[in-house]
Amino acid sequence: MGLYLLDYGAGNVQSLANTLKKLGHEFEWITTPADFHKATSLIFPGVGAFGSAIDGLISRGLYEPLREYIASGKPYFGICIGMQVLFRSSLESPASKGLAIIPSDIGEFDNADKAVPHMGWNSVELLDPAENAHEGLDSSARYYYVHSFRAAYDWENAEAAEWAHATTQYGQEVFLATVRKGNVFACQFHPEKSGQAGLWVLDAWLRASEAERATGLSTLRVARHPRPRDGFTKRIIACMDVRSNDDGDLVVTKGDQYDVRERTGREGVQAQAAGAVRNLGKPVALAERYYAEGADELCLMNITSFRHSPLRDQPMLAVVRAAAETVYVPLTIGGGIKDTVDPDGTPRSALDVASAYFRAGADKVSIATDAVLAVERMRARPGADGLGAGDGSSAIETIARAYGRQAVVVSVDPRRVYVDPASYDGPYRDELVHGKPDGREDERGRAWWYQCTVRGGREDRPLSVVQLVKGVEKLGAGEILLNSIDRDGTGRGYDLDLIALVRRSVRIPVVASSGAGRKEHFVEVFEKTGVEAALAAGIFHRREVGILEVKEALAAAGINVRTA
């Protein structure tokens, strides 16, 4: 008897397990339908597609036992997909039927005025701020959301509105952040990925008596109209490029235009051939440091791309597990997320590789070279929109189908290709960027387009950055991580022309990367391009600029940031 966690077979449930251990709460896993009878409290976490969650419950024989458990009156805490399955249905998977405990349906965010998925930190607003049973929520805090579908708050629907507990606004849409009635409490955000604010929510529910958990009162219905500005914040992401050094140890390194080896010796003398791999620290130690300093998200990029086999790369899997045990913000893993074959001939799909990393504690996976090749294949198949058509087999499509598009990041590595602005009439003429008369001296009077590369920038491909980002968006990617080979490691600031071009071309979130050298560069990229997040590596590793320093500069400029 006691607390049980329900794992339906998809998404990152390890992070919740790590969080409960940190908070000192013991638990068991639901492994068979009979376990529901042993549970006196149940948490259902999950990241994934609505249909995959329902199919997973049904195939494991857990769908009806879960419904019966909730009907029994015993405490239930749903997280993200664990909240959405309580509804009748979802536009994400119209053929899949939810538990229909809440008499309403899940709809999709409108991307006309904002990027979708809703990915990042946002506020919550209690419907009855004076109530004592606030479930640990703090209206001044920010919580981490990652979803494309939401339960709109409809106060005129009396039956559904009596479940409403707190709301969140994204763009001009107000949706349910939490629901509570009787024995059921559920949240759309991820408390296990919401830093200390999220830990308080989990701990408040778990430290209440089981009788208190089972008797949540309905909240009075109140009208809630959109405000001029939502509580969504810009994200600051710390990235760690991880690879083996010459001694075989995994270290965090950083390149100058993707070259990670030292160019000079310690005394300024030219190093021997190629030089040693730059060692800027151990990945887990740096991850812990950045979490403590207030990073909104962390990226671990294995730039050796699993030379042997992704699922046999135990050191990197161990890094992810260890980081997930002490870091309570989202974690993205990149490198080698593709179809592979083990040395013994065993085939491993990209979905297998991604699943292993999700189970180890990752929240998102980043795909690079394989995404470019998938779009090239896609463009070879005619499509009415000019983008071509996917065949359902790419890493982007298979992972998004199982886990939702919010779990798939595409890392883009473009470089400038200069052309004659007066005579160029090639296929990328509509994408040309022209140097500004008052811009950088080396750009005035020049024009260029951005060409995609693969294999860490070592190979050019006949594909523009606009063609790539539009293609991966159609295939199912949920976010673009936009690098710049030209700006990488220069400290000259982000390539604003590149970032603005991509931001205009897609409706999914965009992360600006490469070139940050000062805190002012972060303010500039948000003010001039409207991207959702900005990433940096070397300046954080070397402590040239601090994460708190960046956020203070953003707040001073009137840009929403998470400060706690």
Side-chain angles (χ1 to χ4, degrees):
M1 305 297 284
L3 175 64
Y4 275 71
L5 270 59
L6 174 58
D7 177 8
Y8 67 91
N12 174 11
V13 296
Q14 187 58 48
S15 291
L16 178 63
N18 294 337
T19 302
L20 295 181
K21 290 175 183 176
K22 174 182 173 60
L23 293 172
H25 300 288
E26 296 183 354
F27 61 89
E28 300 288 341
W29 293 96
I30 294 282
T31 57
T32 69
D35 290 331
F36 283 99
H37 299 294
K38 304 174 188 176
T40 54
S41 288
L42 177 67
I43 300 179
F44 182 178
V47 177
F50 184 90
S52 294
I54 296 299
D55 291 347
L57 291 171
I58 292 173
S59 66
R60 289 167 173 78
L62 304 177
Y63 183 89
E64 286 301 332
L66 173 59
R67 189 202 297 273
E68 293 168 2
Y69 171 89
I70 296 173
S72 74
K74 291 187 288 186
Y76 173 89
F77 189 153
I79 297 173
C80 191
I81 205 69
M83 171 176 145
Q84 293 196 1
V85 298
L86 297 172
F87 290 75
R88 293 181 304 209
S89 66
S90 171
L91 279 178
E92 184 175 20
S93 309
S96 299
K97 301 303 180 184
L99 297 173
I101 291 168
I102 300 177
S104 185
D105 304 295
I106 302 292
E108 186 172 10
F109 278 117
D110 181 359
N111 67 3
D113 64 338
K114 57 188 176 297
V116 177
H118 174 217
M119 186 181 294
W121 300 75
N122 210 332
S123 57
V124 300
E125 189 173 359
L126 292 163
L127 288 170
D128 181 8
E131 69 171 316
N132 293 321
H134 50 70
E135 308 296 350
L137 290 170
D138 181 352
S139 59
S140 66
R142 296 293 185 270
Y143 301 90
Y144 182 74
Y145 295 81
V146 55
H147 58 123
S148 300
F149 297 82
R150 84 292 178 267
Y153 174 50
D154 181 4
W155 61 85
E156 295 180 344
N157 180 345
E159 281 190 287
E162 68 179 0
W163 288 86
H165 175 253
T167 61
T168 293
Q169 181 177 329
Y170 183 44
Q172 290 298 294
E173 296 187 68
V174 177
F175 65 94
L176 294 178
T178 58
V179 296
R180 191 191 69 188
K181 181 182 176 184
N183 60 312
V184 173
F185 176 72
C187 55
Q188 180 61 67
F189 60 84
H190 286 269
E192 77 280 14
K193 290 295 175 179
S194 296
Q196 188 58 53
L199 300 187
W200 285 332
V201 173
L202 283 166
D203 205 39
W205 189 79
L206 288 165
R207 292 199 182 282
S209 69
E210 291 192 331
E212 290 173 317
R213 293 179 214 161
T215 54
L217 299 176
S218 299
T219 304
L220 294 175
R221 281 189 293 148
V222 297
R224 180 150 294 167
H225 299 282
R227 295 178 175 174
R229 188 179 182 185
D230 62 20
F232 191 61
T233 69
K234 300 294 188 181
R235 287 175 284 150
I236 300 301
I237 302 174
C239 182
M240 289 153 281
D241 291 339
V242 181
R243 65 159 290 165
S244 297
N245 63 14
D246 297 326
D247 296 322
D249 298 322
L250 283 181
V251 299
V252 173
T253 189
K254 184 67 187 79
D256 293 327
Q257 296 182 308
Y258 290 29
D259 180 2
V260 301
R261 290 188 175 272
E262 299 286 5
R263 296 180 182 177
T264 59
R266 290 184 180 178
E267 304 302 323
V269 179
Q270 186 67 32
Q272 57 183 327
V277 173
R278 291 188 183 92
N279 183 350
L280 297 176
K282 295 293 186 181
V284 175
L286 277 178
E288 292 174 351
R289 182 187 124 197
Y290 293 140
Y291 170 64
E293 291 177 358
D296 297 312
E297 203 165 307
L298 301 175
C299 289
L300 288 168
M301 299 297 181
N302 189 329
I303 60 174
T304 53
S305 293
F306 309 107
R307 289 177 185 164
H308 303 296
S309 169
L311 298 186
R312 292 190 175 188
D313 193 344
Q314 294 304 314
M316 191 62 189
L317 283 165
V319 165
V320 177
R321 292 190 189 99
E325 288 177 357
T326 55
V327 169
Y328 304 101
V329 294
L331 183 61
T332 298
I333 305 300
I337 312 297
K338 59 186 178 182
D339 295 342
T340 59
V341 178
D342 285 349
D344 64 3
T346 304
R348 305 286 189 182
S349 71
L351 180 58
D352 292 337
V353 178
S355 297
Y357 276 87
F358 291 141
R359 307 294 286 184
D363 301 284
K364 296 183 281 186
V365 292
S366 177
I367 303 170
T369 294
D370 198 63
V372 175
L373 301 180
V375 170
E376 289 180 354
R377 294 192 300 270
M378 171 183 175
R379 291 179 63 83
R381 291 184 288 270
D385 56 5
L387 299 178
D391 64 3
S393 67
S394 70
I396 296 172
E397 293 166 285
T398 57
I399 297 170
R401 191 160 52 243
Y403 294 101
R405 71 160 57 231
Q406 69 276 354
V408 182
V409 179
V410 169
S411 181
V412 184
D413 297 315
R415 63 160 50 93
R416 293 182 178 189
V417 177
Y418 288 92
V419 298
D420 183 345
S423 62
Y424 180 75
D425 192 34
Y428 311 111
R429 58 187 177 275
D430 293 337
E431 301 173 24
L432 284 189
V433 175
H434 295 267
K436 300 175 180 62
D438 59 347
R440 293 181 57 89
E441 187 174 348
D442 60 352
E443 295 177 352
R444 295 173 192 169
R446 306 184 75 184
W448 61 90
W449 62 280
Y450 292 96
Q451 182 174 25
C452 291
T453 69
V454 295
R455 313 192 200 291
R458 296 188 297 275
E459 180 184 330
D460 297 334
R461 301 298 299 180
L463 196 69
S464 75
V465 70
V466 172
Q467 291 171 335
L468 177 63
V469 297
K470 286 186 173 181
V472 299
E473 180 180 37
K474 182 176 180 180
L475 287 173
E479 185 173 54
I480 300 295
L481 172 53
L482 183 58
N483 306 297
S484 166
I485 294 176
D486 304 286
R487 291 295 178 92
D488 183 60
T490 65
R492 290 168 44 188
Y494 296 99
D495 188 335
L496 302 179
D497 292 313
L498 168 64
I499 296 164
L501 175 66
V502 169
R503 177 63 285 168
R504 292 193 303 268
S505 300
V506 295
R507 299 308 309 153
I508 57 178
V510 176
V511 179
S513 176
S514 304
R518 298 181 286 113
K519 61 185 179 182
E520 290 82 5
H521 289 152
F522 293 85
V523 176
E524 181 182 52
V525 76
F526 287 128
E527 287 185 336
K528 294 186 177 181
T529 71
V531 288
E532 287 67 38
L535 174 150
I539 60 170
F540 293 157
H541 302 336
R542 296 185 292 267
R543 298 182 187 271
E544 295 167 357
V545 178
I547 292 171
L548 179 59
E549 186 181 354
V550 169
K551 291 193 170 187
E552 288 175 342
L554 292 171
I559 297 170
N560 269 353
V561 289
R562 179 181 70 105
T563 56

